C-alpha cells in the first residue's frame, strides 16, 4: 500500500544514474541504451534525453521484448502464452557498450532472458544493467550496475512501477 | 473490438472458429515474429524441446517449407511425413496414422489433407494441437492470415477496404478462409469467376458475386487472384485457357479500374497467362513475394500461440 518513490524521487534517481553512467564510462562514446518492455523502454528514453542534455551527444535507444526467451514458456499447462510485443534495435550492437534498462530487478530471470536475446543481435563490448528498483530475492547470479533505489520486500509483496508515458504518473508502490 | 490475450481453442482448424479479436492477436504476434526474421541470428529458443510433426497428405512446396522454416526459427524439433502416390487417404487409414503419430507424442501436428474435415478428425483423437495447413476445398487458415497480414502491412488496416477475389471460387479453400476472415474484420468483399466455378450460397456470407471482372475491380483496394488448375480446363468447367484469360485474366489495362495504390495478391503457384498477366505479377501492384515472406512470420505466431494452450 506504500508509495516508496514519488515523481520527484524517480526523476532525481534517474538524473543521478545518468551522472553515474557518464562518470563510470567517461562519456557516451559508443554507448547505447536498450529498454526491456514494457517499462524499461520509457526509462531508457528518459536516460537518453538526460545524457543528451549533459553531453550534447545523441545516444541510440532500442527496445527489447524478452518473451521469446522466457524460461517458463515451456512448462506444460501454464495457461495462455504471454502477448509478444515488438523488439526494435535499429542499430548494430557490435562493440558497443550496451546499457540494459528495466524497472524492477527481482529474481534476475528477465535479465537472463534479455542477455540471451541481446547476444543474438551481435557482440557488444560490454553490457551494464540499469534498474529503477532493486527489490532483492535473486535466483540467478545477476546484479545491477546502476540502481535507483534498493527496496527490501517479501516474496508476497508486489512492486508496481508506474511511469507517466504508460500509466499517467510517475510512482513506485509496494503492494501487499 | 476487445483485445484478446489468448486463443480460445488449442487447434487452428479454420478461420470460421476465430473471432476478430483472436485474428488481431495472431496478426500482432506475427508483427513481432517478423522482426525475428530480420535479425542476424534468425532463431529464438521459444519452442525448444517441443516436437512438431508436419503431415502432408497432399503435395505442397511453399506451405510445407514455410511451416518448416517457422518451426526451425522457433527452435522446435520437426519431423515430416509426406505421402506420395495415393491422393485420398481416408477413414481407417487416417486414424491409424494418427495413432502412430500420437505414439511419438508430438506437441503440434501441422496437417494438409485432400479431404475436407480431415484435421478435425485428427483433433478429436490426438492430444496434440492441430494446425490445418489446407483441407480439401474447406479451409486454409494460415494462408488467409498471411494475406490479412500483408494487406495490413500495405494498407494499415483491413476494415472498410474493398477486396476483389477472382478465379476458381468453387474449388478454393483459400477463398473460403479469406471470406471468413475478411467479413469478420469488416472488409467489403466482391467475388468474381465464371458461372461454372461459382458455388451457390456465397451471398449468404455477406459478399457480392459477379461474373464481370471489370465490375469486380471497380474501386478495389486489394485484388486477390486464385489459381486456376489446368486439369479443370479440359473438363466441364472451362472452355479454354485463352477464353479464360480474355474474360478473367488480370492485365495492366484492367487494373486501371482498381483504386489508386491497389495491391495484387496470389496464393501461388501462379499460372502466368491464365489468371494473371506477367506484367501484373511482376508489376508495381504485386505483393506476391511479400505474401511468401510474411507466411513464415504468421506461422511462427500461430505455432507460438498454440504451444501455450493448457491440456484439456
Amino acid at each position: 500500500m506504500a508509495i516508496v518513490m514519488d515523481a520527484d524521487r524517480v526523476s532525481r534517481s534517474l538524473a543521478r544514474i545518468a551522472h553515474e553512467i557518464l562518470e563510470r564510462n567517461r562519456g557516451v562514446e559508443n554507448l547505447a541504451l536498450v529498454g526491456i518492455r514494457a517499462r524499461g523502454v520509457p526509462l531508457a528514453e528518459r536516460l537518453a534525453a538526460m545524457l543528451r542534455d549533459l553531453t550534447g551527444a545523441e545516444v541510440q535507444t532500442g527496445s527489447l521484448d524478452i518473451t521469446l526467451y522466457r524460461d517458463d514458456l515451456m512448462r506444460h499447462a501454464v495457461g495462455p502464452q504471454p502477448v509478444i510485443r515488438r523488439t526494435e534495435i535499429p542499430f548494430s550492437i557490435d562493440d558497443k557498450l550496451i546499457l540494459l534498462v528495466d524497472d524492477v530487478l527481482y529474481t534476475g530471470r528477465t535479465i537472463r532472458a534479455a542477455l540471451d536475446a541481446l547476444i543474438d543481435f551481435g557482440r557488444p563490448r560490454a553490457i551494464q544493467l540499469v534498474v529503477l528498483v532493486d527489490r532483492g530475492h535473486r535466483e540467478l547470479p545477476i546484479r545491477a550496475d546502476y540502481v535507483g533505489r534498493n527496496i527490501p520486500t517479501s516474496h508476497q509483496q508486489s512492486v508496481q512501477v508506474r511511469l507517466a508515458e504508460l500509466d499517467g504518473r510517475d510512482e513506485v508502490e509496494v503492494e501487499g | 473490438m476487445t483485445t484478446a490475450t489468448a486463443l480460445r481453442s488449442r487447434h487452428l482448424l479454420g478461420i470460421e472458429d476465430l473471432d476478430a479479436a483472436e485474428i488481431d492477436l495472431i496478426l500482432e504476434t506475427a508483427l513481432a515474429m517478423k522482426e525475428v526474421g530480420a535479425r542476424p541470428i534468425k532463431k529464438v529458443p521459444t519452442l525448444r524441446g517441443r516436437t512438431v510433426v508436419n503431415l502432408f497428405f497432399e503435395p505442397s512446396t511453399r506451405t510445407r517449407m514455410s511451416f518448416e522454416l517457422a518451426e526451425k526459427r522457433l527452435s522446435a524439433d520437426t519431423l515430416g511425413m509426406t505421402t506420395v502416390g495415393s491422393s485420398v487417404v481416408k477413414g481407417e487409414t487416417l486414424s491409424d496414422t494418427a495413432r502412430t503419430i500420437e505414439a511419438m507424442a508430438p506437441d503440434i501436428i501441422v496437417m494438409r489433407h485432400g479431404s475436407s474435415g480431415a484435421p478435425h478428425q485428427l483433433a478429436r483423437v490426438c492430444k496434440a494441437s492441430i494446425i490445418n495447413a489446407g483441407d480439401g476445398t474447406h479451409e486454409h487458415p494460415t494462408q488467409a492470415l498471411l494475406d490479412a497480414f500483408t494487406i495490413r502491412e500495405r494498407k494499415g488496416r483491413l476494415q472498410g477496404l474493398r477486396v476483389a477475389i477472382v478465379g476458381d471460387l468453387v474449388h478454393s479453400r483459400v477463398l473460403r478462409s479469406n471470406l471468413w476472415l475478411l467479413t469478420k474484420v469488416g472488409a467489403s468483399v466482391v467475388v468474381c469467376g465464371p458461372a461454372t466455378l461459382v458455388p451457390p450460397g456465397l451471398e449468404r456470407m455477406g459478399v457480392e458475386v459477379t461474373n464481370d471482372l471489370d465490375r469486380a475491380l471497380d474501386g478495389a483496394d486489394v485484388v486477390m487472384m486464385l489459381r486456376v488448375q489446368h486439369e479443370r480446363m479440359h473438363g466441364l468447367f472451362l472452355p479454354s485457357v485463352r477464353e479464360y484469360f480474355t474474360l478473367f485474366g488480370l492485365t495492366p489495362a484492367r487494373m486501371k479500374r482498381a483504386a489508386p495504390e491497389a495491391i495484387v495478391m496470389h496464393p501461388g503457384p501462379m499460372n502466368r497467362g491464365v489468371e494473371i498477366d506477367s506484367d501484373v505479377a511482376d508489376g508495381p501492384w504485386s505483393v506476391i513475394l511479400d505474401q511468401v515472406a510474411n507466411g513464415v512470420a504468421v506461422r511462427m505466431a500461430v505455432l507460438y500461440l498454440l504451444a501455450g494452450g493448457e491440456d484439456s
Side-chain angles (χ1 to χ4, degrees):
Chain A
M1 291 300 144
I3 304 289
V4 292
M5 291 176 88
D6 60 11
D8 269 357
R9 181 130 196 196
V10 169
S11 68
R12 277 200 304 272
S13 291
L14 288 174
R16 172 178 49 79
I17 290 172
H19 280 99
E20 285 176 11
I21 290 170
L22 289 180
E23 186 186 5
R24 179 162 167 182
N25 302 298
R26 299 180 196 87
V28 293
E29 206 182 333
N30 260 325
L31 186 146
L33 290 151
V34 174
I36 299 176
R37 286 195 189 272
R39 284 173 183 72
V41 176
L43 289 175
E45 282 162 0
R46 288 191 205 181
L47 283 171
M50 288 173 176
L51 291 170
R52 187 182 54 224
D53 291 346
L54 290 169
T55 65
E58 286 293 334
V59 180
Q60 288 173 309
T61 309
S63 53
L64 187 64
D65 184 294
I66 57 100
T67 311
L68 296 170
Y69 292 82
R70 281 170 62 142
D71 60 6
D72 53 357
L73 283 176
M74 289 311 96
R75 299 184 166 197
H76 272 281
V78 289
Q81 297 281 62
V83 175
I84 312 176
R85 308 287 174 207
R86 285 187 79 182
T87 291
E88 284 163 288
I89 303 182
F91 49 86
S92 164
I93 68 166
D94 282 341
D95 302 317
K96 289 218 171 63
L97 171 72
I98 300 296
L99 290 162
L100 190 60
V101 185
D102 204 2
D103 55 348
V104 180
L105 179 58
Y106 182 27
T107 61
R109 288 178 191 271
T110 298
I111 304 305
R112 195 284 307 160
L115 293 174
D116 277 358
L118 260 186
I119 282 162
D120 279 357
F121 280 86
R123 189 177 188 280
R125 182 170 62 78
I127 300 174
Q128 295 173 358
L129 177 60
V130 182
V131 296
L132 185 61
V133 174
D134 183 346
R135 61 168 292 191
H137 304 289
R138 216 77 74 238
E139 293 169 5
L140 297 171
I142 280 169
R143 56 157 182 76
D145 299 275
Y146 311 92
V147 179
R149 186 169 180 197
N150 286 292
I151 301 174
T153 58
S154 75
H155 269 303
Q156 287 71 41
Q157 290 173 317
S158 82
V159 176
Q160 297 298 327
V161 172
R162 298 188 186 92
L163 296 173
E165 294 90 332
L166 297 170
D167 313 292
R169 63 181 184 283
D170 280 1
E171 67 183 22
V172 179
E173 184 178 7
V174 176
E175 293 174 343
Chain B
M1 188 174 65
T2 54
T3 49
T5 56
L7 301 180
R8 286 168 301 162
S9 170
R10 63 193 185 91
H11 308 292
L12 178 65
L13 299 175
I15 301 292
E16 185 179 1
D17 311 321
L18 300 178
D19 62 28
E22 291 175 302
I23 291 166
D24 190 59
L25 173 67
I26 295 172
L27 299 182
E28 283 296 319
T29 306
L31 202 58
M33 294 300 185
K34 186 160 182 178
E35 183 272 324
V36 173
R39 296 180 188 182
I41 296 177
K42 299 168 177 55
K43 195 180 182 80
V44 288
T46 316
L47 294 189
R48 221 171 39 181
R50 297 280 176 114
T51 307
V52 183
V53 173
N54 298 309
L55 212 50
F56 281 74
F57 291 91
E58 257 191 0
S60 157
T61 311
R62 69 187 64 211
T63 304
R64 190 171 46 78
M65 283 174 64
S66 180
F67 266 109
E68 260 181 48
L69 192 53
E71 290 150 11
K72 291 188 158 91
R73 287 198 172 161
L74 290 171
S75 302
D77 293 318
T78 71
L79 46 143
M81 196 191 101
T82 313
T83 53
V84 196
S86 146
S87 63
V88 185
V89 185
K90 39 181 160 166
E92 279 185 0
T93 315
L94 179 59
S95 314
D96 276 344
T97 311
R99 275 193 203 96
T100 311
I101 303 283
E102 186 73 358
M104 299 182 212
D107 298 286
I108 296 176
I109 297 173
V110 177
M111 185 198 207
R112 151 117 8 143
H113 199 282
S115 302
S116 304
H120 303 69
Q121 196 186 336
L122 205 63
R124 280 191 292 274
V125 298
C126 285
K127 287 199 196 76
S129 290
I130 311 295
I131 299 175
N132 181 0
D135 64 325
T137 57
H138 176 234
E139 280 225 44
H140 190 355
T142 56
Q143 177 69 43
L145 288 163
L146 75 88
D147 289 342
F149 184 90
T150 307
I151 296 172
R152 229 165 65 157
E153 192 173 63
R154 288 301 179 117
K155 297 286 170 194
R157 69 197 160 100
L158 293 163
Q159 197 177 14
L161 289 180
R162 177 79 168 160
V163 183
I165 309 180
V166 184
D168 179 349
L169 306 174
V170 76
H171 298 102
S172 179
R173 54 194 174 210
V174 175
L175 169 75
R176 228 166 279 267
S177 288
N178 263 306
L179 286 183
W180 283 117
L181 194 152
L182 292 167
T183 52
K184 279 171 200 269
V185 299
S188 135
V189 185
V190 55
V191 297
C192 173
T196 49
L197 292 176
V198 179
L202 282 180
E203 289 92 343
R204 280 203 305 276
M205 289 186 76
V207 304
E208 228 177 287
V209 182
T210 178
N211 305 122
D212 177 357
L213 180 58
D214 286 335
R215 224 183 92 194
L217 292 178
D218 222 359
D221 300 294
V222 179
V223 184
M224 279 186 194
M225 300 307 292
L226 300 172
R227 195 170 102 86
V228 174
Q229 287 152 17
H230 281 293
E231 54 269 30
R232 312 209 194 278
M233 285 294 179
H234 311 292
L236 300 165
F237 294 111
L238 297 166
S240 74
V241 169
R242 180 185 285 189
E243 185 174 333
Y244 186 85
F245 185 72
T246 308
L247 290 170
F248 299 102
L250 193 61
T251 58
R254 297 193 111 143
M255 276 307 290
K256 291 202 179 94
R257 304 187 76 95
E261 314 273 295
I263 56 171
V264 171
M265 313 178 81
H266 195 298
M270 274 186 284
N271 292 311
R272 290 169 185 263
V274 182
E275 69 261 5
I276 189 164
D277 191 285
S278 275
D279 289 340
V280 176
D282 308 325
W285 311 274
S286 175
V287 296
I288 294 168
L289 293 177
D290 295 345
Q291 289 174 271
V292 179
N294 291 337
V296 179
V298 164
R299 288 172 177 123
M300 286 170 77
V302 169
L303 288 161
Y304 168 76
L305 290 168
L306 292 182
E310 52 261 75
D311 297 320
S312 56

